[in-house]
Amino acid sequence: MTENFKDMLSFYAWGATGYKNIIEKEYDYEQILSLAKKQGVFHIVYSVLKQYTQDEAVANLNTRYFMSVLNHQSRMEAMENIIKKLEEENIEVCHIKGKTLSSLYFYPETRISGDVDILIDEKDETKAKRILEQEGFKCEMRSDDANHSECIHEGLGVIELHVKLYYDIMKDIWFDSDDMVKEPYMIIDGIKTLSYTDGFIYNFMHATKHFLSNGTSVRHITDVLLYGQKHKEKIDFERVFKTLEKLKYKEFLDAFVKIGEKYFNITPLYKAESNNADLVLTDIEESGIFGKNIKKAGALFEIYTDLRFSTFKDGDKTDYLTNWRRKNLLKAASYSTKNMKRKYSFMDKGLYYLPKAYVLHTAEIIKKAFKRRKLMEDFVEFKPAENKALDNKIELIKKLNMI
């Protein structure tokens, strides 16, 4: 972990939690801002940098910062009005991530999200897409094994429409078929969302998913810790620990708790023992936001899935993937008219659109077959590029006993 990254963390802690522990010294503000951008926390860091210094590199960005924050607030308000239209049409909407977390930050308006994530029942997916398309969104098709699809609006951004929380093969191999949502939705701070314990587990597993498939960020860590701190008395930590110990992710949470205590002055959620806190932060710096540097090497998803396979699965991984591929293709090929209506919103216009639906569906099956064949080949015989960050990542995963 470089000194500039540590400096960035100090200013980030101030902006995220209000903990001001800035040492009087000469800072490289351009580098701090560059690192903040790479972590996706520019607005949080800038909100306090502009209070701390009149350095030209910082002052020159002030107008851009304010315009960006105002634009984000305006977009989120418009998105919320559109989501209310889904609810008015009797679609139950569960907010996940963004809206449930931003209020936990010292400057809530600086936790900028690029999209809005909502969870709905799969039976309402076509209806929801039809409403969003009427509002100017363009919604992509979702394959049966995917957990969400994106609905994109040129001016407002993206709504991620989740019908389940995890991609099927990730849920089956990484999480042992446990979706980890056990309780009814709740109204928390005026927002319909996951229950306190489900929410804590989901936010942590979301960060874990990114860490294991590409890379996590410092904001993922504070999302988890600030949520835990706010709702500590209502979270069933016995269930949390039991779940994470079974899945072998408890030591990763221990590292989060230590990072919060050491760098962000966040009171520990429990007594955690970990020597891996700085190693996780070093990985975050090396990997870049969402593992940008790891992605250049490729294959992390395949490598981890391969290493993880024997933890919860018996038999040969090639046979497993062949059966998984066959099952999903058979399911896709046997779609009924009812399922076509659920999948394609244009079917609301009448059954005379059914031939078009079957043509699109058949084309998707063919495309999916080639994609799954490629996935199976990558999974069975992956050949990652040589990359120091990737090598370090695999060693850290092993050190955290996540296999």
Side-chain angles (χ1 to χ4, degrees), residues 164-386:
K164 45 192 173 184
L165 294 177
Y166 306 107
Y167 177 54
D168 281 356
I169 198 168
M170 180 183 289
K171 176 182 172 182
D172 196 30
I173 296 179
W174 292 18
F175 305 150
D176 192 30
S177 298
D178 188 349
D179 61 13
M180 288 162 279
V181 174
K182 311 294 185 185
E183 301 165 349
Y185 301 154
M186 297 180 64
I187 304 296
I188 300 177
D189 297 332
I191 304 167
K192 179 173 280 190
T193 185
L194 301 174
S195 71
Y196 296 109
T197 304
D198 284 349
F200 182 83
I201 292 175
Y202 173 71
N203 287 321
F204 175 69
M205 294 308 297
H206 178 70
T208 303
K209 177 195 75 172
H210 279 291
F211 175 73
L212 294 170
S213 57
N214 36 67
T216 192
S217 71
V218 294
R219 196 177 79 176
H220 282 138
I221 296 174
T222 48
D223 281 350
V224 172
L225 298 179
L226 292 175
Y227 183 95
Q229 185 182 58
K230 171 75 179 292
H231 305 302
K232 182 177 178 179
E233 301 306 318
K234 297 173 182 176
I235 294 170
D236 180 356
F237 279 99
E238 183 178 349
R239 183 186 142 206
V240 171
F241 297 152
K242 183 177 179 180
T243 300
L244 299 188
E245 284 165 0
K246 172 197 169 189
L247 297 177
K248 305 184 75 171
Y249 297 145
K250 172 63 164 51
E251 291 188 36
F252 192 44
L253 179 59
D254 291 344
F256 274 33
V257 173
K258 277 295 182 184
I259 289 169
E261 180 182 14
K262 183 176 179 179
Y263 291 98
F264 305 140
N265 197 38
I266 297 176
T267 303
L269 301 175
Y270 58 91
K271 186 175 175 56
E273 299 296 335
S274 177
N275 297 318
N276 297 314
D278 283 7
L279 293 176
V280 170
L281 287 173
T282 297
D283 170 76
I284 287 173
E285 180 181 10
E286 287 184 351
S287 298
I289 186 171
F290 302 130
K292 184 176 181 181
N293 298 333
I294 294 291
K295 285 179 182 177
K296 292 177 182 177
L300 178 60
F301 178 91
E302 289 84 1
I303 291 173
Y304 182 72
T305 305
D306 179 71
L307 293 170
R308 182 77 164 175
F309 183 82
S310 60
T311 302
F312 296 121
K313 302 300 167 188
D314 296 319
D316 181 76
K317 66 182 180 183
T318 305
D319 291 341
Y320 169 87
L321 271 185
T322 300
N323 291 332
W324 173 75
R325 179 170 169 243
R326 183 184 298 121
K327 179 185 71 175
N328 280 282
L329 285 175
L330 286 173
K331 181 180 177 182
S334 60
Y335 254 39
S336 64
T337 301
K338 181 179 179 181
N339 285 330
M340 288 297 185
K341 288 182 177 179
R342 181 179 296 175
K343 184 171 184 179
Y344 298 106
S345 58
F346 60 74
M347 284 289 294
D348 289 345
K349 299 175 182 177
L351 286 177
Y352 45 86
Y353 280 91
L354 188 59
K356 176 183 176 182
Y358 271 106
V359 168
L360 290 173
H361 185 63
T362 302
E364 185 184 347
I365 290 173
I366 295 170
K367 181 180 178 181
K368 191 181 296 182
F370 281 104
K371 182 178 180 181
R372 287 204 171 96
R373 182 175 180 179
K374 177 67 167 58
L375 172 63
M376 187 167 69
E377 290 171 352
D378 288 345
F379 183 22
V380 174
E381 296 183 9
F382 55 81
K383 294 181 180 179
E386 291 184 7

Side-chain angles (χ1 to χ4, degrees), residues 38-146:
K38 290 177 181 178
Q39 287 296 310
V41 295
F42 167 80
H43 296 83
I44 294 174
V45 171
Y46 187 83
S47 68
V48 292
L49 268 184
K50 67 185 182 67
Q51 300 176 44
Y52 182 77
T53 179
Q54 294 300 312
D55 185 89
E56 186 177 353
V58 176
N60 287 343
L61 296 172
N62 200 40
T63 300
R64 187 186 303 178
Y65 162 79
F66 275 111
M67 292 301 295
S68 178
V69 170
L70 289 172
N71 178 261
H72 178 259
Q73 290 177 327
S74 176
R75 287 192 300 106
M76 291 301 105
E77 288 175 8
M79 290 278 211
E80 282 306 309
N81 288 331
I82 291 169
I83 290 171
K84 285 178 183 177
K85 293 185 179 182
L86 300 181
E87 295 172 323
E88 289 168 359
E89 293 294 327
N90 297 315
I91 296 175
E92 184 176 35
V93 175
C94 174
H95 290 268
I96 53 178
K97 297 185 289 185
K99 187 177 180 181
T100 66
L101 298 170
S102 58
S103 63
L104 305 176
Y105 281 71
F106 192 62
Y107 295 115
E109 71 278 6
T110 64
R111 189 192 180 280
I112 303 291
S113 299
D115 55 27
V116 172
D117 295 86
I118 58 175
L119 177 65
I120 63 170
D121 194 298
E122 189 171 359
K123 68 178 175 57
D124 293 323
E125 184 178 16
T126 299
K127 184 179 179 181
K129 286 183 175 181
R130 174 175 53 79
I131 294 169
L132 291 176
E133 286 168 355
Q134 290 172 351
E135 296 295 327
F137 287 81
K138 183 177 181 180
C139 296
E140 63 178 19
M141 289 187 294
R142 179 184 62 83
S143 61
D144 291 333
D145 52 346

